Amino acid sequence: MDFQAAKNLVREHHRAIADASAETIAQALERHTADDWHWRGMHPFHEQRGAAAVAKAFWSPYLTAMTRLQRRPDIFMAGLNQIDDFKSVWVVSMGHLMGLFDKPWLGIRPSGKISMMRYVEFNRVEDGRILETAMFFDIPQVMIQAGQNPFPPETGAHLVQPGPATHEGLMYGSQEPDTGQATLRAINAMLQDMGSTDRSRGIEGYAEELARTWNDDMIWWGPAGIGATYTIRRYIRQHSGPFRIALSKGYRFNGHLCRMAEGHFGGFFGWANLTLSNAGGYMGMTASPNPADMRVVDLYREENGKLSENWIFIDILHYLNMQGLDVLARMGELANPSFEG
């Protein structure tokens, strides 16, 4: 299938945003979206309907805070959605939004310096309009860069993350269909194999499981608060092991809304993908009896039939808020202390 019209529409949408100001962004968003455009964003924005609501909730305040905003994409692709039997067309963009952090945003104090916020955007396109968008972005990354880290030390490394090692993620033109199908098979093989090893074998068994679908030099580009990690064994030690120990209680997979691939890249998102309970310690939280949702995006790069890179976006602020910790409210209190009483 030719995805060029859908790709061109989303690129025009991005150009309209780039040319807009905080005052004109609503009109810019209207040009390429449906009247009942369904937009999903991270906490505290959640779900919005229509360009005016999206502009008011997210884009106008963000453009007010970030001077001279640039979109710096590393992956751009389109494909058919496996979840609805390959009927709907989705266009995906991933990279950073870069600006000068000049005014407060969400209670985060401005730095006056460059701010790089990771983003990924899934857009469902039909009849020349964007009907649905899931936009995940890393607000904690903005906090940390501005010197206001709300989290305990990460298990991985906090970085401004680069694009794919192969530098072939910007697929503005058509791609060989067989390559995308092979990438989707690699992603599905990993999902089907997940958790298949006897856990009593410990790290050795887990490493063998991962090696069936991952290359040994894998890179896991995790969100701020968790961090990035490199190679299978360091991934187990610096993320997956602590994650499994702290969050295995009451684990429930809720499914995906979109899963697709093009070229050597692919991925999925859910709303929410996972529901799990914190047994204590994860991201500094005490044990909680309340199950909490994780809204997650995974993007992958395939190489020689296995996965080599994985970019992860998690709505961590929403997950913590469901456990009773409102990180943004705490940021606002720190930014505006009261000395009365």
Side-chain angles (χ1 to χ4, degrees):
M1 182 175 178
D2 185 1
F3 300 114
Q4 286 310 115
K7 287 182 177 181
N8 291 340
L9 174 72
V10 172
R11 294 186 73 187
E12 290 169 6
H13 176 61
H14 290 169
R15 280 192 288 268
I17 292 172
D19 292 339
S21 66
E23 293 72 32
T24 63
I25 186 62
Q27 292 86 350
L29 295 174
E30 286 177 353
R31 292 180 202 167
H32 304 101
T33 58
D35 291 342
D36 60 346
W37 178 33
H38 185 188
W39 185 90
R40 296 178 176 90
M42 310 293 269
H43 176 85
F45 308 106
H46 303 287
E47 298 182 69
Q48 306 291 330
R49 290 279 183 173
V54 176
K56 181 179 180 181
F58 173 70
W59 276 111
S60 185
Y62 187 65
L63 288 173
T64 299
M66 301 292 170
T67 305
R68 301 289 294 271
L69 189 70
Q70 290 186 8
R71 183 186 298 265
R72 302 178 65 87
D74 295 307
I75 294 174
F76 188 88
M77 61 182 175
L80 298 174
N81 182 8
Q82 177 186 338
I83 304 304
D84 63 7
D85 295 324
F86 304 101
K87 294 176 182 176
S88 59
V89 174
W90 292 74
V91 180
V92 178
S93 174
M94 188 207 81
H96 288 82
L97 297 175
M98 185 188 83
L100 296 169
F101 193 1
D102 286 343
K103 294 183 180 179
W105 185 56
L106 301 176
I108 310 168
R109 300 184 301 279
S111 66
K113 301 176 182 179
I114 287 177
S115 173
M116 301 280 285
M117 183 169 74
R118 299 170 69 230
Y119 81 90
V120 63
E121 189 181 85
F122 281 70
N123 296 284
R124 181 167 69 89
V125 175
E126 185 177 312
D127 297 329
R129 289 279 166 177
I130 299 171
L131 275 63
E132 188 174 353
T133 297
M135 187 175 180
F136 285 59
F137 34 86
D138 201 334
I139 296 171
Q141 184 187 32
V142 176
M143 298 177 184
I144 294 170
Q145 289 175 10
Q148 299 153 66
N149 189 347
F151 301 124
E154 298 165 303
T155 52
H158 175 71
L159 305 166
V160 174
Q161 298 175 5
T166 55
H167 300 283
E168 58 182 0
L170 296 176
M171 294 174 283
Y172 295 131
S174 59
Q175 305 295 312
E176 173 57 49
D178 289 347
T179 307
Q181 292 168 12
T183 298
L184 191 58
R185 284 196 297 272
I187 294 170
N188 285 327
M190 178 274 299
L191 292 172
Q192 292 163 7
D193 205 36
M194 190 179 293
S196 62
T197 301
D198 181 359
R199 292 193 179 185
S200 66
R201 296 186 59 208
I203 190 171
E204 294 302 323
Y206 190 22
E208 289 177 13
E209 173 191 318
L210 293 175
R212 290 195 290 266
T213 55
W214 294 87
N215 290 306
D216 185 62
D217 63 348
M218 66 169 285
I219 308 175
W220 192 85
W221 299 108
I226 298 174
T229 187
Y230 171 46
T231 74
I232 285 177
R233 288 185 176 272
R234 294 294 173 91
Y235 166 71
I236 293 172
R237 181 186 303 172
Q238 296 175 357
H239 169 64
S240 188
F243 185 94
R244 281 190 171 197
I245 291 169
L247 301 177
S248 59
K249 179 182 176 183
Y251 180 100
R252 185 175 76 240
F253 173 61
N254 301 317
H256 299 144
L257 296 186
C258 178
R259 190 187 308 162
M260 49 78 70
E262 186 180 34
H264 292 287
F265 297 84
F268 51 75
F269 81 90
W271 197 264
N273 313 42
L274 307 173
T275 301
L276 24 73
S277 298
N278 194 342
Y282 192 70
M283 298 192 73
M285 291 292 293
T286 58
S288 172
N290 301 320
D293 292 337
M294 273 196 176
R295 302 164 175 169
V296 183
V297 167
D298 280 68
L299 291 190
Y300 300 90
R301 179 175 68 84
E302 174 270 341
E303 186 175 7
N304 297 324
K306 293 185 178 182
L307 304 176
S308 281
E309 291 189 85
N310 184 195
W311 293 266
I312 306 291
F313 295 76
I314 302 175
D315 195 346
I316 287 175
L317 299 183
H318 174 61
Y319 169 73
L320 294 176
N321 191 58
M322 290 189 72
Q323 296 180 78
L325 175 58
D326 189 336
V327 174
L328 293 177
R330 186 172 63 181
M331 296 294 291
E333 291 167 2
L334 293 172
N336 301 286
S338 172
F339 298 102
E340 297 180 0

